[in-house]
Amino acid sequence: MADLAGIAIVGCGYWGINYVRVFSELPGARVVVVCDQRPERLQEVGRRFPAVALTTQLESALNEHGVDAVVVATSATTHYDITRRAIAAGKHVLVEKPLTTRSADAALLVEAAASRSVVLMVGHTFVYNAGIRKVKEYIQSGRDEVYYLYSSRTNLGPIRHDVNALWDLAPHDIAIFNFLLDSTPRWVSAVGAKVLRNCREDVGFISLGYQQGSQSDVVGHIHVSWADPHKARELVLVGSDRRIVFDDLNGVEQVRVFEKGVKATPDEPLTYGEYHLQIRDGDIVSPRLEVSEPMKNQCKHFLECVCSGAKPRSDGRDGEHVVRVLEAVDRSMGLKGAPVEVAKDASYDDWKQAV
C-alpha cells in the first residue's frame, strides 16, 4: 500500500461529507473519489473539495485507481450490498452504523472480510469519544460495582425513511453499553410508538440485561425519539460508589462524577433479606478530558488498522452483535414489550418463520 491510503466515500449526505472533510485533514489518507446518486450532493463535494473525483456509479468508485479503502455512509438498508461489493473488490471498509439490518447479513460480511484479509470496521463513533473512554477508565479501576445504566438520545428528527428511530439512534447506545460492560446483553425488552403517524416507530424505550460475573444482571435502559423537542445525548452509570454522567452536549463538563453511592455491607443480614446499607457521600468531580474529535479519532484508528492489519476497536463482529440486539428489540416490540433472548446464532429470519 502507498504511504497515503486512498479512500473512496460512498454516500455524501451529512455524515458522508464529514468523512470527506476528516479524511482530507488526516496526514495518512487521500480522498480519491466520492460516490453518490444525487448530482446535487456531488456538486457540493466538488465545490468544497475540487481535487476529488466524483461519480454516481459504485463500480466506478471501486475501480478508481489508488482506492485502498471504502467508507459506506449510505442509508442503513443499503449497507450490506455496498459493503459486500467493496469487500469482493479487495477493499478495506468502514461502515456507518448499523452494519446491516439483518444479523445473518452482518455475519456474512464478517466472514467475507476475514477470507479476503481486509479490515471491516463499524462507525460506532462514541467508542472513540474521550468522555466515554473516561467513563470506562472509572469502571476499569475496579472500585465500583455497576448497578445500572440509562441513556437518552432525543431530538426533533431527522426522520429516516428506511429504518425506525430505534434502529437509527439506539445503535450508538447499545455499542456504548457493550463497550463499557465488555459484554453483550442476554435479553431485551422494548416498546415503541408511531406518535407521528408514520409507518415506523419514531419513539422507543429499550431495557437490556447484561450478565456480569456472578452478580445479578446489570440493567441498561435506552430512550430514543425523533419527536422530542428537547435534544438530549446523555448517559448515566450508577454504581456502588459513584454516579457518572456523560453529557455529549455539555462542552465544558462532558463527564461529571458524583462520589456518592450506597451498598450492602458484608455483615450478615439482620433478618431475611435485610442488609446493613453503607452510604457514601463525597465530592463532585469533572475530570480533564483529551480535546479531540471522536469522528477523527475513529477515522485515524481505521487508517492504523488498514496499515497494520490490527483488529479495529469496533470491528465487524461488534457491529453484528449490535444488529442482533436490534433484532431482539423488534421481536420484543412485536410481543408488546415481553422480554426476549438475544439470538446468538439464529437469524431474525429464522424467528420470523417460526412465528
Side-chain angles (χ1 to χ4, degrees):
M1 184 180 298
D3 291 338
L4 292 178
I7 308 294
I9 295 174
V10 182
C12 58
Y14 174 81
W15 286 112
I17 204 161
N18 268 302
Y19 275 115
V20 180
R21 172 187 62 81
V22 168
F23 277 110
S24 297
E25 293 171 355
L26 289 174
R30 179 174 68 92
V31 179
V32 176
V33 60
V34 171
C35 176
D36 197 290
Q37 294 183 341
R38 298 164 295 178
E40 67 276 11
R41 295 305 300 165
L42 293 178
Q43 289 172 10
E44 174 65 13
V45 173
R47 184 183 65 80
R48 293 177 56 181
F49 306 94
V52 175
L54 308 172
T55 181
T56 59
Q57 301 300 314
L58 177 60
E59 287 304 315
S60 297
L62 296 178
N63 292 327
E64 188 78 24
H65 177 71
V67 170
D68 303 299
V70 177
V71 175
V72 180
T74 56
S75 58
T77 51
T78 66
H79 287 182
Y80 170 70
D81 184 58
I82 295 172
T83 304
R84 176 187 60 81
R85 292 165 67 182
I87 292 172
K91 311 301 182 184
H92 306 282
V93 188
L94 167 57
V95 192
E96 259 301 302
K97 57 77 190 167
L99 173 58
T100 60
T101 54
R102 297 183 348 127
S103 62
D105 289 342
L108 289 174
L109 292 180
V110 171
E111 293 170 5
S115 67
R116 293 298 300 250
S117 298
V118 296
V119 171
L120 176 60
M121 180 169 148
V122 185
H124 294 159
T125 314
F126 282 90
V127 172
Y128 304 90
N129 185 293
I132 291 297
R133 297 195 67 78
K134 178 61 68 173
V135 175
K136 184 164 178 110
E137 285 179 21
Y138 278 105
I139 296 173
Q140 289 177 325
S141 68
R143 200 180 80 191
D144 265 324
E145 177 186 348
V146 177
Y147 289 161
Y148 61 92
L149 315 87
Y150 59 93
S151 66
S152 297
R153 192 169 300 274
T154 64
N155 198 17
L156 290 175
I159 297 170
R160 309 295 182 192
H161 300 290
D162 58 335
V163 293
N164 62 27
L166 294 88
W167 277 82
D168 177 40
L169 299 175
H172 283 307
D173 301 287
I174 296 167
I176 293 170
F177 287 11
N178 290 358
F179 173 69
L180 293 178
L181 299 174
D182 286 320
S183 64
T184 57
R186 296 189 304 112
W187 58 265
V188 165
S189 171
V191 292
K194 301 172 184 176
V195 299
L196 301 180
R197 304 296 184 263
N198 286 316
C199 60
R200 57 188 61 85
E201 291 80 7
D202 31 55
V203 60
F205 300 86
I206 306 169
S207 295
L208 310 104
Y210 290 82
Q211 181 66 46
Q212 294 287 285
S214 59
Q215 71 182 69
S216 302
D217 278 358
V218 171
V219 176
H221 184 78
I222 299 170
H223 169 42
V224 296
S225 177
W226 285 333
D228 194 325
H230 175 67
K231 184 175 183 178
R233 299 286 185 272
E234 185 179 68
L235 177 141
V236 177
L237 181 145
V238 177
S240 54
D241 288 307
R242 286 178 289 216
R243 177 180 186 265
I244 306 175
V245 179
F246 167 79
D247 184 353
D248 193 44
L249 302 182
N250 188 330
V252 179
E253 295 179 308
Q254 193 179 62
V255 175
R256 301 186 78 199
V257 182
F258 298 78
E259 299 283 358
K260 302 179 180 184
V262 59
K263 59 184 175 182
T265 66
D267 300 336
E268 289 294 319
L270 296 174
T271 60
Y272 179 76
E274 292 186 4
Y275 285 79
H276 287 293
L277 297 178
Q278 184 179 54
I279 298 176
R280 179 173 180 272
D281 192 2
D283 296 330
I284 301 173
V285 179
S286 297
R288 190 174 192 172
L289 300 178
E290 167 199 356
V291 178
S292 62
E293 180 184 354
M295 190 174 186
K296 187 167 285 188
N297 295 341
Q298 173 184 278
C299 293
K300 184 178 178 182
H301 180 65
F302 177 61
L303 291 175
E304 291 168 351
C305 293
V306 166
C307 293
S308 68
K311 175 180 177 291
R313 197 174 299 146
S314 54
D315 66 2
R317 193 65 70 185
D318 292 322
E320 180 190 345
H321 290 160
V322 170
V323 174
R324 288 191 186 280
V325 174
L326 289 165
E327 288 178 336
V329 165
D330 280 352
R331 297 199 299 274
S332 181
M333 284 198 299
L335 297 170
K336 300 187 183 303
V340 300
E341 296 290 320
V342 176
K344 300 303 179 185
D345 299 308
S347 71
Y348 188 32
D349 279 353
D350 293 336
W351 170 80
K352 287 197 293 186
Q353 291 172 7
V355 298

